[in-house]
Amino acid sequence: MRTETPDTAADGTQTEEETRNESAADGDLPSRAELAARIEALESALDDVAATDEITATGGGKKMSIIATKGTLDMAYPPLILASTAAAFGYDVTVFHTFWGLDILHEERSKNLKLSSVGNPNMPVPNVVGALPGMDRVTTSMMEKRIDDNDTATIEELIETSLEMGVEFQACQMTIELMDYEENDFYDGVRTGVGAATAVQDMAESDIQLLV
């Protein structure tokens, strides 16, 4: 009498399972164990890709520290544009404003920043002409018109956008006292009472440090 195995049909023919196993043994098809291992490897690879995408989207937890020291109209834009762009890439950004750079955060003075017509070789007027009374006002008006014509964001708009994106603007306490400013002179969200030690610590912990 013949004993039937689970993989053998009652009439003695091979079942689909037996055929598949024999084909796998012959190298035609992978076994169940091999398929399971491949699926596990693919799932692991997908998890790695997803983790990489998340790190890229969030800046990988990187930090940027910017020191803003100048308060002219043309020099107010670089730290704000760099800060907002880095924040958009997921960077943790701090901008420490000291000396004339503090005027960028001053709610009133930031609306009246000037563009110097002297000492800038790229200005369309020679220094001799730029030194004449009222020329700073002329060059400032020219730049403001160009900003408006090109729909470039204003200083106020860049600050508000950066704050919404999580940028931390720091106002140097020593400069606040030196310029006789008040803490409520600055935009809402600006961190006051910050000293040089905090700025140095931020730079030490940052992946990118910039002095503007």
Side-chain angles (χ1 to χ4, degrees):
M1 183 176 70
R2 185 178 59 186
T3 302
E4 302 292 344
T5 64
D7 292 330
T8 305
D11 60 358
T13 61
Q14 290 182 319
T15 64
E16 181 181 351
E17 177 69 17
E18 187 176 6
T19 302
R20 184 164 54 245
N21 288 340
E22 286 187 359
S23 297
D26 294 336
D28 295 332
L29 292 173
S31 66
R32 284 186 174 181
E34 290 174 332
L35 286 172
R38 291 182 185 180
I39 291 173
E40 184 177 355
L42 285 172
E43 289 177 345
S44 178
L46 288 173
D47 289 341
D48 290 341
V49 171
T52 302
D53 289 343
E54 182 177 356
I55 290 174
T56 302
T58 60
K62 292 185 177 181
K63 298 182 64 176
M64 173 185 281
S65 177
I66 303 174
I67 310 298
T69 64
K70 297 178 175 62
T72 57
L73 180 60
D74 55 329
M75 292 306 296
Y77 274 91
L80 297 178
I81 293 173
L82 290 169
S84 58
T85 302
F89 280 102
Y91 279 76
D92 180 10
V93 185
T94 61
V95 188
F96 180 74
H97 293 253
T98 185
F99 278 82
W100 304 118
L102 194 60
D103 284 350
I104 300 172
L105 303 180
H106 195 285
E107 196 162 4
E108 291 302 321
R109 297 183 68 87
S110 65
K111 299 173 184 176
N112 297 289
L113 300 179
K114 305 300 184 207
L115 177 64
S116 177
S117 56
V118 178
N120 188 343
N122 289 324
M123 288 297 294
V125 295
N127 285 338
V128 174
V129 177
L132 295 174
M135 283 304 299
D136 284 351
R137 185 166 58 251
V138 172
T139 54
T140 299
S141 297
M142 291 170 56
M143 179 57 71
E144 289 175 339
K145 184 178 185 304
R146 179 166 294 186
I147 289 171
D148 185 61
D149 290 343
N150 286 276
D151 292 325
T152 302
T154 64
I155 299 300
E156 181 179 7
E157 290 170 341
L158 283 173
I159 290 175
E160 291 177 350
T161 299
S162 297
L163 286 170
E164 290 174 358
M165 297 175 71
V167 174
E168 181 177 294
F169 290 111
Q170 302 173 342
C172 174
Q173 184 60 36
M174 184 196 73
T175 308
I176 291 177
E177 297 171 0
L178 182 66
M179 302 297 186
D180 200 25
Y181 291 158
E182 301 291 336
E183 291 188 0
N184 57 8
D185 289 336
F186 305 102
Y187 287 95
D188 291 339
V190 171
R191 181 184 173 189
T192 58
V194 181
T198 300
V200 171
Q201 184 64 33
D202 281 338
M203 287 189 287
E205 296 174 351
S206 296
D207 300 278
I208 300 175
Q209 305 93 6
L210 300 174
L211 174 65
V212 181

